Amino acid sequence: MHTFRLWAPLPKTVEVSLAGQKSVPMTRVAGGWWTVTSAAEPGCEYGFILDGGPPLPDPRSQFQPHGIHGLSQLVDHNRFHWTDKGWQAPPLSSAIIYELHIGTFTPAGRFLSAIEKLDHLVKLGVTHVELMPVTEFSGHHNWGYDGVDLFAPHHAYGSSNDLKKLVDACHARGLAVILDVVYNHLGPTGNYLARYAPYFTTRYAPTWGAAINYDGAGSDEVRRFFCDNALMWLRDYHFDGLRLDAVHAIFDSSAVHFLEQLKCEVERLETELGRHFVLIPESDLNDPRLLRSREQGGYQLDAQWSDDFHHALHSVLTGERNGYYSDFGGLSDLAGALRHAFVYAGKYSPHRQRVHGRSTEGLSGHRFLGYLQNHDQIGNRAKGERSARLMSLGRLKIGAALVLMSPFVPMIFQGEEWGASTPFIFFTDHQEPELAGAVRAGRCQEFAAFGWKPEEVPDPQARETFDRSKLAWGEISQAPHAEILEWYQKLIRLRHAEPDLTDGCMGDVQIRFDEQKHWLTLKRGAIRLACNLSAQPQAVPLIAEQGTETSDRTVHLPPDCVCIFKHGIQVA
Amino acid sequence: MHTFRLWAPLPKTVEVSLAGQKSVPMTRVAGGWWTVTSAAEPGCEYGFILDGGPPLPDPRSQFQPHGIHGLSQLVDHNRFHWTDKGWQAPPLSSAIIYELHIGTFTPAGRFLSAIEKLDHLVKLGVTHVELMPVTEFSGHHNWGYDGVDLFAPHHAYGSSNDLKKLVDACHARGLAVILDVVYNHLGPTGNYLARYAPYFTTRYAPTWGAAINYDGAGSDEVRRFFCDNALMWLRDYHFDGLRLDAVHAIFDSSAVHFLEQLKCEVERLETELGRHFVLIPESDLNDPRLLRSREQGGYQLDAQWSDDFHHALHSVLTGERNGYYSDFGGLSDLAGALRHAFVYAGKYSPHRQRVHGRSTEGLSGHRFLGYLQNHDQIGNRAKGERSARLMSLGRLKIGAALVLMSPFVPMIFQGEEWGASTPFIFFTDHQEPELAGAVRAGRCQEFAAFGWKPEEVPDPQARETFDRSKLAWGEISQAPHAEILEWYQKLIRLRHAEPDLTDGCMGDVQIRFDEQKHWLTLKRGAIRLACNLSAQPQAVPLIAEQGTETSDRTVHLPPDCVCIFKHGIQVA
């Protein structure tokens, strides 16, 4: 027997339709909810019939074996045999995060095949795996941001149990696991939520899809839906935290912002389960309110992605100045990012054409993720080129060194550690020809602004685009990949070994640079780094050990070269 | 000579057109600004010609002698002879605010005619006059929320100098003056701002008009426009503060909210001028962030309108339960409002169909304005009936007593003090027939939902509707008006005399009530109030002087009656 419960204030009648059985009317109860108890077991497939229409997927479907338009499947979360009793995730302060996309991380592109590569991550020194969104989206492959069944792992990645096996296998190896969840919009097809209830609003007009109704009539249950989603991943799938996609597109004028409520509910689950969870928003707001304590009027989230640091670093290393990189490019921006996380903290942004951001004063570097690359920064390029394609080997090493010696929580994107030759291109697999065409055209239009011809932009709908984005693990032992991997391993070992590197103290990061000569030198406690970004060999002064104004030593560096010292001894 | 300056990034050419002269091209300078120095003196009329079009009013026009579509007029603010040197406004903590509408406050409906009635306000015990918006709107009469030339006092009210004379005359009598300003939308006609610059955005879809661009490209100058507007009223017109209309319709996702910026800029002006200013938002958010300190992540505004208290009081006194009054009605709501300002502070609101608001803990009652009536609560009724029309004389007195014995800053709406017989109806004077018709139809449609037939709803465009809304000062000495006036005077005298009433301590307000028997009794220090809201005479227990559980005295009250005691002696 199973009790179906459904929030659906909009339809006048609701039936549950069990595959191969006569549909059963549900009973309306308080608050727009419906309920019925029926002879259904885990594994049963079902849909909801609203006002006599066709069976639709459950908004809280736990699994969609036939995709976004098909029936939902019951899952019993109590049947999985967990082996991670007593598991505690390492703290963010000592974390190295590894972002991966299930579909392209391994050739098979499944939850279970990912397990085979976990030992590589352990050997690399990673502490946290971050999965790009895994919820049911349209078609066979997708980055994941087109999810529409937000409680269901995608059927092409494996079963609900397979995902649990992956998390369990991570925990068995000491790896924490973070899941990327999208609470700002739903995908463009397969989204049936609006037929059930006021999940969406026209009060706000964000970039993608309809805005979610976080503050209008009926929003309590909408917020419940998303909070319950978060709690499910943490409780039933044993995830150690969530990455919250693009929270700047969550519009909520309530006196208690949805993100504050979410954090409070996650804290209650922490108390209940005796575990610790992290919430890591991606935010374009440069607003420390996301991180500040509730006493300071903040939402108290654990850490946020630090795009300013990425942009500052990327533009210095590549010389790129188009699009949002036009706001960056100087070594002073990079130095500012390393010391304050936000380069734009109340300063005019030419790209945004307005003053942007606010000071991070008092916040630890542990509250920011630092990265040379991530899925967006690679994949939002027309051709999905990684940093390894865009800069010399020397500069790639400089980039890795600055991320891994930074006061931030370092994050690596799958394959970055060996400078993977494969791109990570934007790919979709929409089944509706009209939508497929619109996505294709939109992609071409987006890059036309940067001078790309339509035929130069990979077709996001082509299977080849997806296949090309898969990691080529065979190359890992070849040149120059083996050398890059060794460099990453060395830097990560150093970070784990040196407490000065993980103290999170942005204010204590000492930096000197010469914008003209294009060198930069940095000191964090006993660790000193010097890099030469010019095309000429030159002497770079190390910052003095004792904090005096003058440097006590100068290192001669060839072009595009970085060295790291501890107490005067070169360690990398 | 005058230097014209204009922010207009959109047009390709701009000329200044001086009445009776050849137009002069302006020079483009940095940031989308234009400038030219020309032979123009205060009093000159001019417009701006964008891309060769017709002359348009200056977005920052100081005066519009011919209305919203006409030329702008130069005003020299340094020419007025102020007599209020050394003026300091009384603090909000001891304030009694009087809201008035220039067009209907006096028969002549002008700034200068209002001066004639100031002595009445002084005698009444008012400390602050609050003017409904006075900026240039379409036609001859309007509540003021259709303003489009936000730097220009409306020409039908008098000149810029006349407004200064009114403020000066208030100060001469010890009265502070607050101006109602509208920073959430512009009126439906005469708004030329969008031709000049990106003042508006489609990212948000508020109820009225286009949303103002507080956070997109170009928003720095938009924010500058509104901040400069606020600073102008405080600096050049000597206003003592601003009432900020409907700040819930100001959408701003910037890391520094516009309201926080505004408050900071006003604080800088305070330092510069050595005066104190207040910012008083109207807000539908029940969000204490507006009031909390910047250390607490708040915007640190001085006080906000307290609609929950109004609704709780109004619904108890009238028995009305339609529209938003459906969320109120119990004496428990009224008691909650008196002790916490927000009845909805994290509680489910049936009318809003969602949880609403957040706790005001730690905030003083001085941070909230309390009122039995205001322009909206009267005028947003189909027929604009005042409380005096809706309840018995006894209940009117109870309402006044609860406002004036409350921990809030009491506010009175013009004529309330004598229970004016005149209504305050929604009126407009739009000149475009289509707009006039739409406003008429919209009004009828709004009230159709409450069962009103179109012919029962006064025509907002009819001159008669405006004329009927003017105060009838002749009735002030007649029954029952003289008795009501005497009651208000007595209560205000008592409030000014008793520090216990103005201590702002919501937590110290002791209240007992009986929902069935319909009595309520309240104690604030030495002051005790008892009221009988039932149709039967009954004994009402006073709260004991020494804070014991049992009452030390019972008063027998006729129906709809209130008594106030100090140390056992009846004082009102």
Side-chain angles (χ1 to χ4, degrees):
Chain A
M1 300 301 283
H2 178 79
T3 297
F4 292 92
R5 297 186 75 240
L6 174 71
W7 181 55
L10 297 180
K12 290 197 170 58
T13 67
V14 181
E15 297 152 80
V16 59
S17 166
L18 281 153
Q21 295 182 34
K22 199 170 168 297
S23 65
V24 184
M26 297 183 77
T27 305
R28 187 157 204 151
V29 292
W33 282 82
W34 303 77
T35 183
V36 73
T37 300
S38 175
E41 299 298 327
C44 270
E45 295 184 11
Y46 68 100
F48 291 119
I49 294 175
L50 311 184
D51 293 328
L56 301 179
D58 183 351
R60 294 185 182 223
S61 167
Q62 300 288 314
F63 204 68
Q64 291 292 113
H66 315 290
I68 54 173
H69 303 297
L71 291 179
S72 303
Q73 189 174 45
L74 285 181
V75 170
D76 181 356
H77 288 298
N78 294 318
R79 293 198 178 179
F80 185 78
H81 179 67
W82 289 96
T83 69
D84 65 351
K85 192 158 188 286
W87 162 256
Q88 292 292 349
L92 271 190
S93 54
S94 60
I96 311 271
I97 299 178
Y98 188 93
E99 187 189 28
L100 68 83
H101 173 264
I102 288 293
T104 54
F105 181 55
T106 60
R110 294 173 62 88
F111 295 132
L112 294 183
S113 60
I115 295 176
E116 300 159 20
K117 298 299 182 188
L118 295 180
D119 291 334
H120 162 77
L121 301 186
V122 172
K123 194 173 161 206
L124 180 61
V126 162
T127 62
H128 288 62
V129 171
E130 179 174 318
L131 304 186
M132 284 173 65
V134 300
T135 59
E136 189 70 27
F137 46 73
S138 84
H140 170 268
H141 48 268
N142 188 287
W143 279 16
Y145 301 96
D146 288 332
V148 286
D149 299 288
L150 303 189
F151 292 73
H154 195 274
H155 68 287
Y157 288 166
S159 68
S160 163
N161 264 7
D162 290 348
L163 176 53
K164 289 170 188 162
K165 282 179 193 162
L166 171 58
V167 175
D168 200 51
C170 284
H171 288 177
R173 286 162 180 79
L175 293 168
V177 200
I178 292 165
L179 180 65
D180 191 346
V181 291
V182 186
Y183 293 165
N184 56 65
H185 78 289
L186 269 81
T189 177
N191 170 11
Y192 296 101
L193 294 193
R195 305 210 196 166
Y196 288 92
Y199 282 96
F200 302 97
T201 175
T202 55
R203 283 187 304 284
Y204 307 106
T207 314
W208 326 281
I212 289 168
N213 173 28
Y214 281 111
D215 59 5
S219 57
D220 293 355
E221 285 297 350
V222 176
R223 295 161 76 110
R224 197 63 271 126
F225 178 87
F226 288 99
C227 283
D228 285 350
N229 183 266
L231 299 176
M232 179 194 73
W233 295 119
L234 303 174
R235 179 197 294 274
D236 297 327
Y237 286 87
H238 288 207
F239 279 98
D240 299 292
L242 301 171
R243 182 257 189 189
L244 307 170
D245 182 63
V247 298
H248 46 272
I250 291 176
F251 294 97
D252 183 6
S253 67
S254 308
V256 177
H257 192 279
F258 166 70
L259 293 174
E260 183 179 351
Q261 178 186 346
L262 179 64
K263 175 66 177 171
C264 290
E265 298 209 6
V266 167
E267 284 177 2
R268 280 199 288 276
L269 188 67
E270 287 183 317
T271 306
E272 181 191 328
L273 300 182
R275 290 175 54 199
H276 183 61
F277 302 116
V278 292
L279 293 180
I280 304 176
E282 174 202 22
S283 166
D284 188 43
L285 300 173
N286 279 19
D287 189 350
R289 188 185 296 287
L290 297 176
L291 306 175
R292 295 219 183 268
S293 70
R294 282 194 280 277
E295 292 68 36
Q296 293 169 309
Y299 307 152
Q300 215 162 301
L301 304 182
D302 296 271
Q304 74 153 72
W305 284 31
S306 181
D307 271 2
D308 276 17
F309 173 64
H310 170 272
H311 298 346
L313 182 57
H314 179 92
S315 59
V316 159
L317 294 175
T318 62
E320 290 183 6
R321 298 290 184 278
N322 52 352
Y324 45 70
Y325 295 124
S326 62
D327 274 353
F328 300 88
L331 290 176
S332 61
D333 295 323
L334 181 53
L338 281 162
R339 288 178 54 89
H340 308 291
F342 297 159
V343 173
Y344 288 86
K347 191 169 82 166
Y348 182 79
S349 150
H351 177 66
R352 296 171 192 269
Q353 298 178 52
R354 60 172 172 83
V355 167
H356 183 55
R358 187 171 185 131
S359 169
T360 59
E361 197 182 334
L363 290 172
S364 160
H366 299 149
R367 313 297 293 278
F368 300 92
L369 269 57
Y371 36 85
L372 173 62
Q373 311 179 46
N374 66 35
H375 73 273
D376 258 334
Q377 302 305 334
I378 299 168
N380 287 339
R381 307 178 68 87
K383 300 196 168 188
E385 307 98 319
R386 294 162 176 272
S387 301
R389 269 286 157 97
L390 301 171
M391 58 187 76
S392 67
L393 179 58
R395 288 197 170 212
L396 193 67
K397 288 186 175 183
I398 294 173
L402 287 171
V403 167
L404 287 158
M405 301 299 110
S406 81
F408 309 125
V409 179
M411 185 172 74
I412 295 169
F413 181 69
Q414 63 178 26
E416 174 183 339
E417 70 274 24
W418 75 80
S421 67
T422 50
F424 187 72
I425 319 176
F426 182 72
F427 47 80
T428 51
D429 183 33
H430 296 306
Q431 303 301 301
E432 296 86 348
E434 199 175 326
L435 175 59
V439 168
R440 248 183 228 117
R443 191 82 184 157
C444 290
Q445 200 184 343
E446 184 182 345
F447 290 104
F450 295 96
W452 294 92
K453 291 176 192 148
E455 60 272 23
E456 293 176 309
V457 178
D459 177 1
Q461 282 283 124
R463 170 78 194 205
E464 183 206 40
T465 303
F466 168 60
D467 288 336
R468 284 174 56 208
S469 298
K470 293 195 177 208
L471 289 179
W473 287 85
E475 69 187 11
I476 200 167
S477 55
Q478 299 163 14
H481 306 297
E483 181 185 345
I484 296 171
L485 181 61
E486 196 183 333
W487 180 244
Y488 270 85
Q489 282 171 328
K490 185 181 286 184
L491 292 170
I492 291 173
R493 270 200 305 273
L494 187 62
R495 186 170 184 94
H496 285 315
E498 294 297 334
D500 284 345
L501 294 177
T502 50
D503 67 5
C505 235
M506 293 194 284
D508 288 353
V509 178
Q510 295 179 55
I511 306 182
R512 289 179 60 195
F513 58 88
D514 187 312
E515 207 81 73
Q516 262 64 51
K517 294 183 179 165
H518 227 216
W519 56 256
L520 180 143
T521 176
L522 172 154
K523 177 173 180 295
R524 301 192 61 207
I527 301 295
R528 294 186 289 176
L529 173 153
C531 62
N532 176 14
L533 285 148
S534 84
Q536 309 299 328
Q538 64 179 325
V540 178
L542 288 182
I543 295 170
E545 289 240 42
Q546 299 309 326
T548 54
E549 267 302 297
T550 55
S551 74
D552 57 357
R553 184 171 162 188
T554 294
V555 284
H556 289 267
L557 294 177
D560 288 356
C561 184
V562 59
C563 277
I564 301 171
F565 300 85
K566 179 181 177 186
H567 291 316
I569 298 152
Q570 186 173 343
V571 289
Chain B
M1 297 302 283
H2 179 80
T3 298
F4 292 91
R5 297 187 74 240
L6 174 72
W7 181 55
L10 297 180
K12 291 199 169 55
T13 68
V14 181
E15 297 153 79
V16 59
S17 166
L18 281 152
Q21 294 183 35
K22 199 170 168 295
S23 66
V24 185
M26 297 183 77
T27 305
R28 187 157 206 153
V29 291
W33 282 83
W34 302 78
T35 183
V36 72
T37 301
S38 175
E41 299 298 327
C44 270
E45 296 183 11
Y46 69 100
F48 291 118
I49 294 175
L50 311 185
D51 293 328
L56 301 179
D58 184 351
R60 295 186 181 222
S61 167
Q62 301 288 313
F63 203 68
Q64 291 291 113
H66 314 291
I68 54 173
H69 304 297
L71 291 179
S72 303
Q73 189 174 45
L74 286 181
V75 169
D76 181 356
H77 289 298
N78 295 319
R79 294 197 180 179
F80 185 78
H81 179 66
W82 289 96
T83 69
D84 65 351
K85 192 159 189 284
W87 162 256
Q88 292 291 349
L92 271 190
S93 54
S94 59
I96 311 271
I97 298 177
Y98 189 93
E99 187 188 27
L100 68 83
H101 174 264
I102 288 293
T104 53
F105 181 55
T106 58
R110 294 173 63 86
F111 296 131
L112 294 183
S113 60
I115 296 175
E116 299 158 21
K117 298 299 182 187
L118 295 180
D119 290 333
H120 162 77
L121 300 185
V122 172
K123 197 175 159 203
L124 180 61
V126 161
T127 62
H128 288 63
V129 171
E130 179 174 318
L131 304 185
M132 283 173 65
V134 301
T135 59
E136 189 70 26
F137 47 73
S138 83
H140 169 267
H141 48 270
N142 187 286
W143 280 16
Y145 301 96
D146 289 331
V148 287
D149 299 288
L150 302 189
F151 291 73
H154 196 273
H155 68 287
Y157 289 166
S159 68
S160 163
N161 263 8
D162 291 348
L163 177 53
K164 289 171 188 161
K165 282 179 193 163
L166 171 57
V167 175
D168 200 51
C170 284
H171 288 176
R173 287 161 180 80
L175 294 168
V177 200
I178 293 165
L179 179 66
D180 191 346
V181 291
V182 186
Y183 292 165
N184 56 66
H185 78 288
L186 269 81
T189 178
N191 170 11
Y192 295 100
L193 294 192
R195 304 208 196 168
Y196 287 93
Y199 282 96
F200 302 96
T201 175
T202 56
R203 283 187 305 283
Y204 308 105
T207 314
W208 326 280
I212 290 166
N213 174 27
Y214 281 111
D215 58 7
S219 56
D220 293 354
E221 285 298 349
V222 176
R223 294 162 76 111
R224 197 63 271 127
F225 177 86
F226 288 98
C227 284
D228 285 349
N229 183 266
L231 299 176
M232 179 195 73
W233 296 118
L234 302 175
R235 178 197 294 272
D236 296 328
Y237 285 89
H238 288 208
F239 279 98
D240 299 292
L242 301 172
R243 182 259 190 191
L244 308 170
D245 181 63
V247 298
H248 45 273
I250 291 176
F251 294 97
D252 182 7
S253 66
S254 309
V256 178
H257 192 280
F258 167 69
L259 293 174
E260 183 179 351
Q261 178 185 346
L262 179 64
K263 175 65 178 172
C264 290
E265 298 209 6
V266 167
E267 283 178 2
R268 279 199 287 276
L269 189 67
E270 287 182 316
T271 306
E272 180 190 329
L273 300 182
R275 290 175 54 199
H276 182 61
F277 302 117
V278 292
L279 293 180
I280 303 176
E282 174 203 22
S283 166
D284 188 42
L285 300 173
N286 278 20
D287 189 349
R289 189 184 297 285
L290 297 176
L291 306 175
R292 296 218 183 268
S293 70
R294 282 193 281 277
E295 291 68 34
Q296 294 169 308
Y299 306 153
Q300 214 161 302
L301 304 182
D302 296 270
Q304 74 154 72
W305 284 31
S306 181
D307 272 1
D308 277 16
F309 173 64
H310 170 271
H311 298 346
L313 183 58
H314 179 92
S315 58
V316 158
L317 295 174
T318 61
E320 291 182 6
R321 298 290 184 278
N322 53 352
Y324 45 69
Y325 295 125
S326 62
D327 274 354
F328 300 87
L331 290 176
S332 61
D333 295 323
L334 181 54
L338 282 161
R339 287 178 55 88
H340 308 291
F342 296 160
V343 174
Y344 288 86
K347 190 169 82 166
Y348 182 79
S349 151
H351 177 68
R352 296 172 192 269
Q353 299 179 52
R354 60 172 173 84
V355 167
H356 184 54
R358 187 173 185 130
S359 169
T360 59
E361 198 181 333
L363 290 172
S364 161
H366 298 149
R367 313 297 294 277
F368 300 92
L369 269 55
Y371 37 85
L372 172 63
Q373 309 179 46
N374 66 35
H375 73 274
D376 259 333
Q377 302 305 335
I378 300 169
N380 286 340
R381 308 179 68 88
K383 299 196 168 189
E385 308 98 319
R386 293 163 176 272
S387 302
R389 269 286 157 98
L390 301 172
M391 58 187 78
S392 68
L393 179 57
R395 290 198 168 212
L396 192 68
K397 288 186 175 182
I398 295 173
L402 287 171
V403 167
L404 286 158
M405 301 299 110
S406 80
F408 310 125
V409 179
M411 185 172 74
I412 295 168
F413 181 67
Q414 63 179 25
E416 174 183 340
E417 70 275 22
W418 74 80
S421 66
T422 50
F424 187 72
I425 320 176
F426 182 72
F427 48 79
T428 52
D429 184 33
H430 297 307
Q431 304 299 303
E432 297 86 348
E434 198 175 327
L435 175 59
V439 168
R440 251 184 225 115
R443 191 82 183 158
C444 290
Q445 199 184 344
E446 186 182 345
F447 290 104
F450 295 96
W452 293 93
K453 292 177 191 146
E455 61 271 24
E456 293 176 309
V457 178
D459 177 0
Q461 282 283 125
R463 171 77 193 206
E464 183 206 40
T465 303
F466 168 60
D467 287 337
R468 283 173 56 209
S469 299
K470 293 195 177 206
L471 288 179
W473 287 86
E475 69 188 12
I476 199 167
S477 55
Q478 299 162 12
H481 307 296
E483 181 184 346
I484 297 171
L485 181 60
E486 196 183 332
W487 179 245
Y488 269 85
Q489 282 170 329
K490 186 181 286 185
L491 293 170
I492 292 173
R493 269 200 306 273
L494 187 61
R495 186 170 183 94
H496 284 315
E498 294 298 334
D500 284 345
L501 295 177
T502 50
D503 67 5
C505 236
M506 293 194 283
D508 288 352
V509 178
Q510 295 179 55
I511 306 182
R512 287 181 60 196
F513 59 88
D514 187 313
E515 208 82 73
Q516 262 64 50
K517 293 183 180 165
H518 227 217
W519 57 254
L520 181 143
T521 175
L522 172 154
K523 177 172 182 295
R524 301 192 62 207
I527 302 296
R528 294 187 289 175
L529 173 153
C531 62
N532 176 14
L533 286 149
S534 84
Q536 309 298 330
Q538 65 179 325
V540 178
L542 288 183
I543 295 170
E545 289 241 41
Q546 297 309 325
T548 54
E549 267 303 296
T550 56
S551 75
D552 57 357
R553 184 172 162 189
T554 294
V555 284
H556 289 267
L557 294 178
D560 288 356
C561 183
V562 59
C563 275
I564 301 171
F565 299 86
K566 180 181 178 185
H567 292 314
I569 298 152
Q570 186 173 342
V571 289

